[in-house]
Amino acid sequence: DTGVSQDPRHKITKRGQNVTFRCDPISEHNRLYWYRQTLGQGPEFLTYFQNEAQLEKSRLLSDRFSAERPKGSFSTLEIQRTEQGDSAMYLCASSLGRERVNQPQHFGDGTRLSIL
Amino acid sequence: AQSVAQPEDQVNVAEGNPLTVKCTYSVSGNPYLFWYVQYPNRGLQFLLKYITGDNLVKGSYGFEAEFNKSQTSFHLKKPSALVSDSALYFCAVRDMYNTDKLIFGTGTRLQVFP
């Protein structure tokens, strides 16, 4: 169990640029979640995948955000035309599926995005 | 809507003393509750969960939590605090009606003084 891996750990970019983050979940986990955490707040749900299917998207996820999990393994989160308000920590988590509903979500160390 | 509340932004305790970090919940149906800890510039680490059964749940690093249905609370406790326990603690409830996503509280910063 190597844990959930996120890359990059930090991203600094200018307003208006596009950014993409990657998450590699724990290998046998079929569920993958993206959360966003701003300073002084708890993580807020963005989107969820079961295998390669994106099953839920939060209203926080504007049309500038897109997430994929093409082969049911790693996932990417892209933000287009970044804005100051996108500055946050983006956390990825994974868990086992419905058969193991009581299993906790395991989090990566996040990608901290700073918009200049 | 399901939610959790952490009424204290910060808790200060001396090393060796017992600690309590408070959490109350609001759910329809049976709650699935979790505690996570976050160290600076790191993700969240799972501490413990309550699904059903005993009201006292034991978790990692000597932490435990007491589920109280009548008070809708799920307070995190540790008999003897360590300086290394200083971190940000989050209570969360699982959304059982959709995707099992977690709904987090705003967090409580625990500061343990030597």
Side-chain angles (χ1 to χ4, degrees), chain B residues 37-55:
Chain B
V37 60
Q38 186 176 34
Y39 294 95
N41 298 313
R42 301 296 301 276
L44 279 69
Q45 295 179 33
F46 169 73
L47 283 179
L48 51 79
K49 65 185 178 187
Y50 173 82
I51 305 297
T52 187
D54 290 340
N55 290 341

Side-chain angles (χ1 to χ4, degrees), chain A residues 56-70:
Chain A
E56 185 178 353
K57 293 170 61 174
S58 163
R59 282 172 289 182
L60 291 176
L61 217 63
S62 76
D63 56 6
R64 296 185 297 106
F65 288 69
S66 62
E68 294 182 342
R69 194 182 183 196

Side-chain angles (χ1 to χ4, degrees), chain B residues 80-95:
Chain B
S80 178
L82 299 172
V83 172
S84 57
D85 292 329
S86 299
L88 195 54
Y89 290 80
F90 289 98
C91 180
V93 63
R94 175 167 272 165
D95 181 353

